[in-house]
Amino acid sequence: MAICGGTSAAKEATQAVKDICQSVRSQAEKEAGKTYAEFTAKTFTTQLVAGTNYFIKVHVGGDDDHVHLRVHKPLPCNGEKLTFHSMQHSKTEEDEIVHF
């Protein structure tokens, strides 16, 4: 059970989450200062706020090179677009996705 205001349990990436991941790829690569050979969403958690925060574990190449993305999807009534918030580098497949 999720804690009120906390993040959900980690789940396998759905097609919708994979699409979100691809839509912010260029922004993530710009922040990282490099282009990734691979950019595949693996798992994710969510946090309900005034919309939804997505915390996405992304495989970016190599045997075990991952990053974590934070992306905000506003409520539909706000008419805003997805917002790339931030990312964490040097993650592995085993690293837990946590709020950041």
Side-chain angles (χ1 to χ4, degrees):
M1 174 180 250
I3 297 171
C4 184
T7 57
S8 67
K11 300 174 271 282
E12 290 297 315
T14 62
Q15 187 58 51
V17 170
K18 291 176 184 179
D19 292 344
I20 289 170
C21 182
Q22 289 305 312
S23 73
V24 300
R25 179 177 182 163
S26 64
Q27 295 169 52
E29 289 177 334
K30 183 177 179 180
E31 180 171 312
K34 60 181 161 182
T35 301
Y36 295 111
E38 184 177 341
F39 205 76
T40 307
K42 294 298 188 178
T43 58
F44 73 104
T45 65
T46 56
Q47 177 190 35
L48 296 177
V49 289
T52 305
N53 284 329
Y54 288 87
F55 299 90
I56 309 168
K57 182 181 294 187
V58 182
H59 183 241
V60 292
D63 291 332
D64 197 23
D65 193 12
H66 292 75
V67 296
H68 291 178
L69 304 180
R70 179 177 176 179
V71 180
H72 179 73
K73 182 177 181 182
L75 294 170
C77 63
N78 292 338
E80 298 171 13
K81 297 180 181 179
L82 286 171
T83 304
F84 171 78
H85 185 273
S86 56
M87 69 189 297
Q88 294 179 329
H89 305 270
S90 302
K91 297 295 184 177
T92 67
E93 187 173 351
E94 291 78 30
D95 287 332
E96 181 181 355
I97 306 170
V98 296
H99 184 281
F100 61 96

